[in-house]
Amino acid sequence: MTTAEARRDRSTVARLSDLAARAGVGAGVTVLVSVLPVVGLVAPAVGAGVASWTDEAEAPRGPRIGAATGALVALLSLPLTFLAVWVAAAVSPAATVGVLALTLVGAAYVVGSGALGGYLADRIAAERASPRAAPAGDDATAPVERLKHRYVEGELTDAEFERRLDRLLAADREPDRTAPRRRPDASDRSEYSDSFPRERER
């Protein structure tokens, strides 16, 4: 086995052990929340959400942590399941089938709600971590502010700062090229004739 393969195996074992630890945290929270009257119905989602929220992995893995939490809770409830099946077997075969069906439905609900809770925790964390959208008026002034910052830091000389600032201001004054252009007519000639001397004076 090469060194790269050994590192890969070690990292896989570390990821699995960390996933199991997160699932244990989620299962503990699930057991604690399940004793509450109304919130206990969504205890797997709450436990998986807490476990995913405390995860420090780079890639989001909330659904996996949630599913692992639900599977661990289902495994912890196996003794109660065996007891219920034993009691139902003493009653009738139909009761045994009913208990087994309820057990499968319950396990699917626990795993599914755990995965959903982990997914929602990842979404909330991603929304909080993403930068908020800047106001519409800040987009036009952002390049000028960056240019001023570079000038203050001494990265640009006076001449280079003025040249780049003039270029930015000229780009802002340019008309929108995507807008449809209107053909000039006789009514515009007076405007053009008035603007030419002003441009020459500047």
Side-chain angles (χ1 to χ4, degrees):
M1 180 183 291
T2 63
T3 306
E5 290 177 350
R7 288 178 181 173
R8 194 179 305 117
D9 290 342
R10 258 191 251 113
S11 63
T12 302
V13 171
R15 285 198 301 269
L16 290 176
S17 61
D18 184 62
L19 182 65
R22 298 296 173 189
V25 171
V29 174
T30 301
V31 172
L32 291 176
V33 175
S34 63
V35 299
L36 299 177
V38 178
V39 186
L41 297 174
V42 291
V46 174
V50 171
S52 301
W53 188 267
T54 58
D55 186 29
E56 297 178 354
E58 294 180 359
R61 51 178 188 169
R64 280 185 290 175
I65 293 177
T69 298
L72 185 57
V73 171
L75 288 176
L76 292 176
S77 64
L78 279 179
L80 294 176
T81 302
F82 290 147
L83 178 62
V85 169
W86 180 71
V87 172
V91 176
S92 66
T96 305
V97 173
V99 168
L100 290 175
L102 287 175
T103 300
L104 291 176
V105 171
Y109 169 75
V110 169
V111 174
S113 60
L116 178 62
Y119 170 75
L120 292 177
D122 276 355
R123 287 292 302 272
I124 294 172
E127 289 178 1
R128 287 193 173 187
S130 62
R132 296 184 178 180
D138 292 348
D139 294 340
T141 60
V144 178
E145 293 300 325
R146 285 197 296 267
L147 188 63
K148 289 180 180 178
H149 179 72
R150 292 184 61 189
Y151 176 69
V152 171
E153 293 295 325
E155 299 179 12
L156 302 175
T157 62
D158 294 344
E160 192 173 3
F161 171 73
E162 291 179 3
R163 180 172 55 83
R164 294 192 181 192
L165 182 61
D166 289 339
R167 188 185 303 168
L168 286 174
L169 295 177
D172 290 341
R173 284 194 296 264
E174 285 184 1
D176 188 6
R177 296 179 179 178
T178 60
R181 295 185 177 179
R182 185 175 64 86
R183 193 185 200 103
D185 53 13
S187 63
D188 296 323
R189 289 178 183 172
S190 59
E191 286 186 24
Y192 292 124
S193 61
D194 292 341
S195 62
F196 287 150
R198 292 175 187 168
E199 293 294 331
R200 291 194 196 99
E201 291 173 4
R202 291 178 186 175

